[in-house]
Amino acid sequence: MAKAIPRTGSRRNVRIGSRKSARRIPKGVIHVQASFNNTIVTVTDVRGQVISWSSAGTCGFKGTRRGTPFAAQTAAANAIRTVVDQGMQRAEVMIKGPGLGRDAALRAIRRSGILLTFVRDVTPMPHNGCRPPKKRRV
Amino acid sequence: MPHLLIHRSTITLPCLTAHSTQSFCRLDSVGLRRPPPYRVITTTTCGGSINGVNRAIICMANPRRVKMVAKQIRRELSDMLLTDKVLQYAVLPEAALGADRYLSSLTTISDVEVSADLQVVKVYVSVFGDERGKEVALAGLKSKAKYVRGELGKRMKLRLTPEVRFLEDESLERGSRVIAILDKIKDENKKKATNDESGEFADGSNDDMEWEGDDIDDEGIIYVK
């Protein structure tokens, strides 16, 4: 899935693709970032260009309610609604992070009628790189 | 435990029906302004004789601290599920063969309940996948309960590492089923509404009866466990 690298000096050609017209994409990728306090659902095409996104915060939930599984499934339903009209049938799901949004968003996607081809977990895993934040003391 | 001493002023002792009034008097007479956050519970044997008493000291922590510990355990366990190789192989055996990029089932820790004395931790696990994946994941987690307890002790500084019990959490799945049924009812109602608009208006009362019938039937489906 390598993106075309834009040549320096020819930036006018980078964004020539369709702006607002509805592209018919039969297959897409749904990214679900599920942290403990929020869930963000982004729908992109296979190359990675974002089509639509939604999160628990933008769905009207505030504060601690954003982290609940119900908020995650409303966010997923919201993000998929625009795309289902464009005719997406199959999708691959990439899940990032711990949190309740993982399960709830997956179930919402399956309920909506989009065929799940693959479920992948892409939580970033350092090969012992940056120093993590200090331990919380309870 | 430094926290137990510092929070002396905010501790509320739960009311037990044990014979602990004696212990209260004794401790007050010692000169403490407030009894320490534990009770000495004396139980007698079935004969009722005082000679065969058993004493047990039970530590009750601050409820706010219990919540904090539960949250921290949840973070640690989720992190372990994501990073620890042993746990991942237990939950998803095909990861050991290398097929870990494309998952057949996804395990999530939905809730952690800690008992008031911080000794027993009930972890509710929700598995997304088919029936076999669920069984495999839960069985794998239950077999690694001791390992998880050891790892938790290494990561968290607690005086006594609690015993970890894994339980299956069906609430997410049940909620999803309920919402699917509700969506189906909404779609059916919408379809009927559009059919009515395009057709004649004489069947208004019939549709009301049908809707009530549908709701009652579906309520029966919803509440089946």
Side-chain angles (χ1 to χ4, degrees), chain B residues 154-197:
Chain B
K154 277 187 221 158
R155 287 169 184 236
M156 279 182 69
K157 212 172 70 141
L158 290 170
R159 173 176 284 183
L160 278 166
T161 315
E163 174 200 342
V164 174
R165 296 185 196 161
F166 288 104
L167 300 164
E168 171 150 11
D169 184 19
E170 299 168 354
S171 63
L172 285 181
E173 197 181 301
R174 236 185 301 155
S176 174
R177 255 206 315 262
V178 166
I179 292 190
I181 294 177
L182 288 176
D183 283 343
K184 202 166 63 167
I185 296 179
K186 199 165 60 166
D187 286 342
E188 280 174 10
N189 288 348
K190 222 187 308 183
K191 229 184 306 180
K192 277 190 206 154
T194 52
N195 282 350
D196 283 344
E197 282 176 12

